[in-house]
Amino acid sequence: DQFDNLEKHTQWGIDILEKYIKFVKERTEIELSYAKQLRNLSKRYQPKKNSKEEEEYKYTSCKAFLSTLNEMNDYAGQHEVISENMTSQITVELARYVQELKQERKSHFHEGRKAQQHIETCWKQLESSKRRFERDCKEADRAQQYFEKMDADINVTKADVEKARQQAQIRHQMAEDSKADYSSVLQKFNHEQHEYYHTHIPNIFQKIQEMEERRIVRIGESMKTYAEVDRQVIPIIGKCLDEIVKAAESTDQKNDSQLVIEAYKSGFEPPGDIEFEDYTQPMKRTVSDNSLSNSRGEGKQEHKPGGKSKGKLWPFIKKNKLMSLLTSPHQPPPPPPASASPSAVPNGPQSPKQQKEPLSHRFNEFMTSKPKIHCFRSLKRGVSSAPGATPEDFSNLPPEQRRKKLQQKVDELNKEIQKEMDQRDAITKMKDVYIKNPQMGDPASLDHKLTEVGQNIEKLRLEVQKFEAWLAEVEGRLSARNEQIRRQSGVYDAQNPPSVNNCAQDRESPDGSYTEEQSQESEVKVLATDFDDEFDDEEPLPAIGTCKALYTFEGQNEGTISVVEGETLYIIEEDKGDGWTRIRRNEDEEGYVPTSYVEVYLDKNAK
C-alpha cells in the first residue's frame, strides 16, 4: 500500500547514481588538467635547442634533471590513462545504465498504475450493483405493501387488485435479478482484489525491488572499478619514480668537476714567488724578480744562478693598470718612413734597454696611469679586447681553450668533408646508372655537380689544414711550456734560495737559450682578473709638454697608440733611452710612439 513512497525512493536512487556519475566526470577532468599541467611544467623546463642550456646538460646532475622531466611526462600520461579508463568504464557505462533504469522504472510503475485503476473500476461496479440491488429491494417491498392494501380494501375492484398483484410480482423479480447481479459482481471484485493484493502488486513491487537492488550492486561495482583504475597505473607510476631515483643516483660529482676543469682550464702555469725588497738601503733599492717594473721590454739579461725564471703576473690587478706598467713595447721602435734605418735619424733610438728604476717610481706609474688598454674582463670571457668578431684562429682565448676550439673546428670541418664525399659518391653512382641506362638521364648533366662538390671538398681540406696547423702550433707550445716547467723545477730544487736584493728577472731557460715567446705575453693578457682595485679613480699623469707627429704611425702592438701625421698630442713621459715616448690623446687614449716619429716640445715649468 506504499506505492507512492516506493516511487519517491526509486527516483532518489536514480538521483544518487547520477550524482556519482557527475563526481567521476569531475575527477576525470581534474586528472586531465593535472596531466596537462605536468606536461607543460616538463616542457617549460626542457632545454632549448641550440642554446647555452643545451650545453649545460653534459653534466650528470643536469642529465638527471632531464631524466626527471622525461619521467614526469610518463607520469602525466598515466593520469591521462586514469581519466580515459574512468570515462569509458564508469561514466559512459553508468550513463547508459541510468537510461535503462529509468525506462524499467517507468514500465513497472505503469503496470502498478494500471492495476490500481483496474481495482478501482471493479470497486465502482460493485458499488453500482449494490445500490441497484438496494433500490430494487425497496421498490419490491413498496409494491408488496400496495398489493396487500388493495387486496384488503373491499371498495377496490378485482381488476385493480389483480394489477397491483402483478406489479408486486414484477418488482420482486427485479429485486431477485439485482440480487443475483450484485452477488456476481461482488464475487468478481473479491477475486480481483485478492489478485491485486496477493499477486499483481507483490509482483510489481518485487520487480521494483530487484531493479533497486541491481542499481545498488551496479554503483558498488563502479566504485570498485574506480579504485581498480587507479591501482592499475600504480606499478607504472612506481616505475617512473624508480627511474627518477635511478637518475638521481647516477649523478657523479667527480665527473662533473672534471668536466668543469676541462671546460675552463686555461693552460697557464702559476706565477713564481715575489721577492722581498730591502728598503733599508735607499741607494740600492731594487725590484724583485716578479715586481711590476719587470714588464718592460728588455734585452737579453744575464742568467744568474740564484735567480728564478720569468714569473707571470697573476690576477691581483686589472689589465688596464697592469698594462700601464708595461711601460714600453718589447721591441725597438720602427724607423721613420723617410729613413733607411733608425740610425739615419738624428733622434733615432737604438734597440731599447730596460732601465732599472726604483720601485717607488714604478709604483707611482701604476697608481696614476690610465692607458687605453681594455679590461681583462672581456678576455676572461673569451672575447677579443678589440671590437669586432672573434679571430678566426681563436688567438684571443687561453691556450687550452684555444686548443679545444680549434679541435672542435677541425672535427666540424671533417664532418662537412664527409658529407660532401658522400654526396660525391651518390652523384657518381647516379652517373653510372645514367651511363648504363641513357633513357633515365644524361650523364653529362651531373659533371657540373661533381666539379662543384670536388671544389667544395678541396676548400674544406684547405680549411682543415689551416686549422690543423694552428692546432699543432698550440699543442707544441703547450708541450714545450710543460717541459720548460719541469726543467725549471729541477733547476730550482738544485739552487739556493735567491737573495733578497736580486732584481733581475731571468728571461732565459735553464740551458741559457731565450725562451720567451709571444704566447707568454698573451698569458699576461688573460691571467689578470677583474679585481676592482683602489687605484681606479686616481688622477691621470700630468702632461709635461706637447708633440707634433712627423709621420703616421700604426700602433699595432700592446702599449702603443696610433697617430696621424701633423696631429698634436700631450707628452706624459719623455724618452728614457729606449726610443719610445709616452703620449696622450685624451683621458682614455694614451700609449707609446717612437720618439723619432714626433717633434717634442717640453714644458720647462712642468714637474
Side-chain angles (χ1 to χ4, degrees):
D1 60 345
Q2 297 296 313
F3 199 80
D4 294 337
N5 288 333
L6 281 180
E7 188 175 15
K8 292 177 182 178
H9 177 76
T10 52
Q11 181 61 46
W12 171 83
I14 292 176
D15 293 341
I16 287 293
L17 201 56
E18 290 179 336
K19 184 186 291 186
Y20 184 72
I21 293 173
K22 185 178 180 183
F23 160 74
V24 176
K25 187 176 181 181
E26 290 183 2
R27 165 73 191 275
T28 59
E29 291 173 355
I30 290 173
E31 292 291 341
L32 281 178
S33 176
Y34 181 50
K36 182 179 180 181
Q37 290 179 23
L38 282 179
R39 288 192 184 279
N40 289 338
L41 178 67
S42 176
K43 182 179 179 181
R44 191 160 59 247
Y45 282 91
Q46 288 281 352
K48 297 179 179 62
K49 291 185 177 181
N50 302 324
S51 67
K52 186 179 179 182
E53 288 184 9
E54 201 170 24
E55 297 178 2
E56 295 173 354
Y57 279 82
K58 61 185 177 181
Y59 300 106
T60 57
S61 56
C62 293
K63 288 180 180 177
F65 179 53
L66 184 59
S67 178
T68 301
L69 295 178
N70 294 333
E71 292 301 329
M72 288 306 295
N73 261 331
D74 297 340
Y75 189 90
Q78 296 311 305
H79 286 278
E80 291 173 348
V81 170
I82 290 175
S83 175
E84 292 171 3
N85 289 343
M86 284 187 176
T87 300
S88 61
Q89 298 179 24
I90 300 177
T91 308
V92 175
E93 292 296 326
L94 282 185
R96 183 164 55 246
Y97 177 71
V98 165
Q99 295 301 321
E100 295 174 357
L101 191 64
K102 287 181 177 179
Q103 290 296 328
E104 184 180 359
R105 175 180 174 276
K106 183 179 179 181
S107 173
H108 292 329
F109 282 100
H110 177 70
E111 290 179 8
R113 296 296 181 194
K114 188 175 180 182
Q116 278 185 332
Q117 290 174 1
H118 178 69
I119 198 67
E120 286 175 2
T121 301
C122 291
W123 172 255
K124 288 178 181 178
Q125 288 178 354
L126 177 63
E127 287 292 319
S128 175
S129 176
K130 181 181 177 181
R131 282 195 300 271
R132 186 168 60 252
F133 172 59
E134 182 182 7
R135 185 177 66 249
D136 288 345
C137 286
K138 288 179 179 180
E139 290 291 336
D141 189 42
R142 281 197 298 269
Q144 183 64 28
Q145 290 176 2
Y146 180 74
F147 167 69
E148 291 177 354
K149 182 180 178 183
M150 291 293 289
D151 189 41
D153 190 357
I154 58 173
N155 296 320
V156 177
T157 63
K158 186 176 181 180
D160 290 336
V161 173
E162 186 62 24
K163 183 177 179 182
R165 186 180 63 80
Q166 290 179 356
Q167 188 69 27
Q169 290 178 350
I170 293 171
R171 291 295 178 183
H172 278 287
Q173 186 61 39
M174 288 178 65
E176 289 295 331
D177 292 341
S178 296
K179 180 180 178 181
D181 183 58
Y182 171 66
S183 177
S184 174
V185 171
L186 180 60
Q187 289 177 358
K188 182 181 178 182
F189 174 78
N190 288 335
H191 175 73
E192 291 293 336
Q193 182 175 256
H194 185 274
E195 289 292 321
Y196 176 80
Y197 284 109
H198 292 85
T199 305
H200 295 307
I201 291 300
N203 288 339
I204 292 172
F205 281 5
Q206 183 64 31
K207 291 178 182 178
I208 293 174
Q209 180 178 342
E210 291 173 357
M211 177 191 73
E212 182 67 9
E213 289 174 354
R214 285 199 308 272
R215 178 192 67 80
I216 295 170
V217 170
R218 190 63 179 265
I219 196 170
E221 291 175 350
S222 298
M223 290 178 181
K224 286 183 181 178
T225 306
Y226 179 87
E228 287 299 324
V229 167
D230 252 341
R231 185 176 287 122
Q232 287 172 0
V233 301
I234 286 176
I236 303 176
I237 289 177
K239 196 172 181 181
C240 293
L241 298 177
D242 291 341
E243 289 296 324
I244 293 175
V245 172
K246 184 178 177 181
E249 292 173 350
S250 69
T251 55
D252 186 351
Q253 64 274 19
K254 298 294 183 183
N255 182 67
D256 285 2
S257 298
Q258 191 61 35
L259 289 175
V260 174
I261 292 171
E262 291 298 324
Y264 299 111
K265 182 168 61 177
S266 67
F268 292 121
E269 67 269 17
D273 295 337
I274 297 177
E275 296 294 341
F276 176 77
E277 300 181 27
D278 191 354
Y279 287 93
T280 59
Q281 303 177 17
M283 300 305 295
K284 297 181 179 180
R285 287 182 183 171
T286 58
V287 181
S288 65
D289 182 40
N290 283 321
S291 67
L292 300 176
S293 65
N294 202 24
S295 302
R296 281 199 178 192
E298 296 181 355
K300 186 175 179 181
Q301 299 177 354
E302 291 184 9
H303 177 70
K304 298 186 180 181
K308 291 186 178 180
S309 64
K310 184 178 189 301
K312 299 296 182 292
L313 293 170
W314 208 242
F316 301 121
I317 54 176
K318 280 192 174 181
K319 181 184 175 185
N320 56 359
K321 298 302 179 186
L322 170 65
M323 294 310 298
S324 70
L325 302 174
L326 305 177
T327 51
S328 62
H330 283 283
Q331 65 274 352
S339 61
S341 65
S343 59
V345 182
N347 198 20
Q350 301 298 322
S351 179
K353 298 287 184 178
Q354 174 66 29
Q355 297 180 353
K356 298 179 182 178
E357 300 181 17
L359 179 65
S360 58
H361 182 76
R362 293 291 182 213
F363 192 68
N364 182 52
E365 292 180 0
F366 169 69
M367 291 179 63
T368 57
S369 61
K370 284 192 176 179
K372 69 170 183 177
I373 306 301
H374 290 277
C375 179
F376 270 43
R377 190 176 287 111
S378 59
L379 284 178
K380 188 184 76 170
R381 290 194 296 261
V383 182
S384 174
S385 59
T390 303
E392 188 181 14
D393 60 351
F394 304 107
S395 57
N396 62 313
L397 299 177
E400 186 66 26
Q401 301 299 319
R402 183 186 180 198
R403 181 187 68 77
K404 288 182 181 178
K405 285 287 186 181
L406 290 172
Q407 184 64 54
Q408 182 181 351
K409 188 69 176 179
V410 169
D411 294 341
E412 291 175 359
L413 290 172
N414 284 330
K415 288 181 181 177
E416 292 181 13
I417 289 175
Q418 187 61 42
K419 286 183 182 178
E420 294 290 338
M421 292 177 69
D422 293 342
Q423 185 178 356
R424 183 182 63 184
D425 293 343
I427 296 175
T428 304
K429 290 180 181 178
M430 189 181 295
K431 185 176 181 181
D432 293 341
V433 172
Y434 286 176
I435 292 173
K436 293 178 182 178
N437 301 292
Q439 68 274 11
M440 295 182 67
D442 183 12
S445 63
L446 300 175
D447 291 340
H448 176 69
K449 291 184 178 179
L450 277 174
T451 304
E452 184 179 348
V453 172
Q455 291 174 353
N456 292 340
I457 292 175
E458 190 60 31
K459 289 179 182 178
L460 291 171
R461 282 177 176 167
L462 292 175
E463 286 288 313
V464 169
Q465 291 176 4
K466 178 172 66 175
F467 280 96
E468 284 179 342
W470 284 333
L471 181 61
E473 177 187 359
V474 172
E475 290 177 343
R477 288 182 178 179
L478 286 173
S479 60
R481 183 179 297 111
N482 293 336
E483 180 64 25
Q484 178 183 348
I485 294 171
R486 287 194 295 271
R487 290 166 60 188
Q488 289 175 347
S489 298
V491 173
Y492 296 156
D493 292 341
Q495 291 176 345
N496 295 324
S499 62
V500 294
N501 288 328
N502 179 21
C503 67
Q505 184 173 11
D506 257 339
R507 299 177 66 183
E508 298 177 358
S509 63
D511 57 2
S513 61
Y514 184 74
T515 59
E516 179 165 343
E517 298 175 348
Q518 185 178 356
S519 64
Q520 291 175 324
E521 295 176 7
S522 67
E523 291 175 28
V524 179
K525 301 176 187 178
V526 182
L527 281 175
T529 64
D530 48 349
F531 277 44
D532 289 325
D533 54 73
E534 61 201 23
F535 307 116
D536 281 348
D537 299 328
E538 293 293 328
E539 290 296 326
L541 288 174
I544 59 173
T546 59
C547 66
K548 181 179 181 182
L550 301 175
Y551 314 101
T552 298
F553 173 69
E554 298 290 340
Q556 299 178 348
N557 297 323
E558 287 291 326
T560 62
I561 185 172
S562 301
V563 296
V564 181
E565 182 179 353
E567 187 178 8
T568 301
L569 307 107
Y570 296 99
I571 297 175
I572 57 175
E573 185 179 330
E574 60 182 319
D575 188 356
K576 297 183 179 180
D578 55 5
W580 296 91
T581 298
R582 187 173 175 184
I583 63 173
R584 177 190 297 136
R585 178 175 286 112
N586 52 50
E587 290 186 0
D588 295 326
E589 288 188 69
E590 60 182 44
Y592 290 88
V593 295
T595 307
S596 57
Y597 275 59
V598 295
E599 186 175 357
V600 177
Y601 307 98
L602 293 178
D603 186 357
K604 294 182 180 180
N605 296 326
K607 295 183 181 180

